[in-house]
Amino acid sequence: MKKYNVGIIGYGWAAGAHIAAINATPHAQVTAIFSSRKLDNAEVSARHGCPVKTYTDFDEFLASNIQVVDICSMPAQHRDQAVAAASAGKHLIIEKPLGMSLQECRDIVNAAEANKVLGCVCFECRFSGQFQSTKAILDQGLLGELHYGEVDYYHGIGPWYGQFRWNIGKENGGSALLTAGCHALDALLMVMGSEVESVTSLSTKSKSDIFAPYEYNTTSITLVHFKDGKVGKCSAVVDCLQPYYFHTHLCGSEGSLLDNRFHSMKLHTNKAGWSNLNMKMLDSGDVSDHPYQTQFETFFASLEKGEAMPLTSLRESLKSFEVLFAADKSAEEGGRPVKISELA
């Protein structure tokens, strides 16, 4: 038996990827699932290769022998479920988004800190090969001091995609940034490594009948002004008709990086051509391709030490949601610049 028993809330697409990743770590195994629909214990256990007890009563689920709760339910349910789990003394793994409003996000973080439990938000792209390699390039100083960065998310979430049925609603989708583009905004904030002063955002939506069911604008562009003078840009486009694309372009005093290519003056190479980086690109929206295992191993290792995990702790992730909700506020107000301090 591993040290940590994990209970999953929700048994959909994301939960399947989470269960496989958790069970693959040396620290934890999934032993309980709470679902609104009745599940067969034997069938679920056989599917995942470990004994799992399923629940339809939330209080019974929380009272079971679990130390960690992993929330993979509908986004609109995250706040209440996370606060209840934290109040029951359970550590938290929360699939993005953390909450559907900034107040919901803050409620979760405050509940966790009040009950002295640790948490992890699934901004797993920070643990991807693409962004770990990008961060290494930056840490080695090969681009010098960054002054501009753009990270963009292009992923057409149409009827062919399982998420579509609930993603189209404002209640669980929210905005282009909140439902999916948050991964790109979060990655931008990680690589720029500076505090945000203000954001300016505009949004629109496709004229295609395919995306007509959406109750909110499905494309947004956000300009980010950092306190130290850097600027950045993040596009979130969930109504495009093209292959999935997670675009990165960073410019610094010693060079530039474009996706999996870079040029550095420090290497004395010819700037007429890019140098190629051999790294795994983020090229799919399928959760089975996401680096959950690496992220969860880091989370459980931090639990062992009794300290907040690096990169995607609740408090660290809250910073990204503060910027995100400021951007959505700007878009709702026609592009008015919104300072992060306004959200206090």
Side-chain angles (χ1 to χ4, degrees):
M1 292 294 291
K2 301 174 184 178
K3 181 170 182 177
Y4 298 105
N5 292 332
V6 180
I8 305 285
I9 298 179
Y11 192 56
W13 186 41
H18 282 220
I19 293 169
I22 290 167
N23 287 345
T25 72
H27 311 89
Q29 63 275 309
V30 172
T31 59
I33 294 174
F34 169 76
S35 175
S36 58
R37 54 197 167 95
K38 187 169 178 56
L39 303 170
D40 182 84
N41 289 347
E43 180 185 340
V44 172
S45 298
R47 181 179 303 155
H48 299 293
C50 60
V52 179
K53 186 172 182 180
T54 64
Y55 297 83
T56 54
D57 184 289
F58 189 61
D59 291 334
E60 288 183 11
F61 166 79
L62 283 184
S64 66
N65 183 30
I66 53 176
Q67 295 81 40
V68 181
V69 166
D70 181 350
I71 299 176
C72 296
S73 55
M74 290 295 176
Q77 299 174 314
H78 286 190
R79 185 268 178 200
D80 290 349
Q81 292 171 340
V83 169
S87 298
K90 312 299 181 183
H91 301 292
L92 300 170
I93 296 171
I94 305 175
E95 182 55 72
K96 62 83 184 164
L98 180 56
M100 294 304 294
S101 69
L102 183 54
Q103 188 57 56
E104 287 189 0
C105 294
R106 287 173 171 169
D107 287 347
I108 293 169
V109 176
N110 290 338
E113 293 179 349
N115 289 282
K116 295 181 171 54
V117 298
L118 298 175
C120 167
V121 177
C122 290
F123 276 146
E124 67 279 0
C125 294
R126 289 192 175 211
F127 290 89
S128 67
Q130 178 174 345
F131 280 97
Q132 286 294 299
S133 295
T134 298
K135 190 68 165 56
I137 292 286
L138 295 173
D139 290 345
Q140 291 294 321
L142 293 178
L143 303 189
E145 289 290 325
L146 291 184
H147 59 277
Y148 175 75
E150 59 185 51
V151 183
D152 304 312
Y153 184 94
Y154 297 91
H155 181 199
I157 303 176
W160 52 82
Y161 203 68
Q163 184 178 336
F164 180 80
R165 63 182 177 81
W166 57 263
N167 200 61
I168 58 176
K170 181 78 172 174
E171 180 184 16
N172 285 296
S175 71
L177 269 176
L178 191 59
T179 193
C182 56
H183 283 303
L185 180 62
D186 180 66
L188 174 67
L189 298 180
M190 180 183 77
V191 295
M192 298 302 282
S194 302
E195 279 192 71
V196 175
E197 173 72 25
S198 64
V199 293
T200 303
S201 187
L202 293 170
S203 65
T204 186
K205 66 187 302 185
S206 170
K207 302 298 184 185
S208 169
D209 290 341
I210 294 171
F211 302 103
Y214 274 92
E215 298 175 357
Y216 54 89
N217 281 353
T218 36
T219 285
S220 70
I221 181 168
T222 300
L223 301 181
V224 183
H225 178 215
F226 295 90
K227 289 183 177 180
D228 60 4
K230 298 174 186 173
V231 293
K233 185 265 284 186
C234 176
S235 294
V237 186
V238 297
D239 56 6
C240 54
L241 297 168
Q242 65 174 67
Y244 181 101
Y245 181 36
F246 209 112
H247 168 71
T248 306
H249 196 169
L250 308 175
C251 298
S253 58
E254 295 286 348
S256 295
L257 178 143
L258 178 62
D259 296 334
N260 59 346
R261 296 170 290 169
F262 80 108
H263 172 73
S264 174
M265 298 290 285
K266 289 189 173 183
L267 299 181
H268 305 291
T269 53
N270 185 349
K271 68 180 177 62
W274 295 98
S275 297
N276 291 319
L277 290 163
N278 183 17
M279 63 186 187
K280 175 72 169 66
M281 299 292 291
L282 289 164
D283 57 8
S284 169
D286 190 338
V287 291
S288 63
D289 288 339
H290 290 200
Y292 287 121
Q293 185 179 339
T294 304
Q295 183 183 33
F296 294 162
E297 285 182 355
T298 304
F299 173 63
F300 291 122
S302 297
L303 280 190
E304 289 280 275
K305 300 174 186 175
E307 59 188 34
M309 73 178 296
L311 298 179
T312 57
S313 68
L314 293 177
R315 182 59 66 178
E316 181 68 21
S317 298
L318 180 60
K319 297 175 185 177
S320 293
F321 284 103
E322 288 175 340
V323 177
L324 186 155
F325 286 113
D328 280 352
K329 180 178 177 65
S330 174
E332 288 168 4
E333 298 180 7
R336 178 182 72 85
V338 173
K339 291 186 176 182
I340 305 305
S341 59
E342 288 183 38
L343 305 179

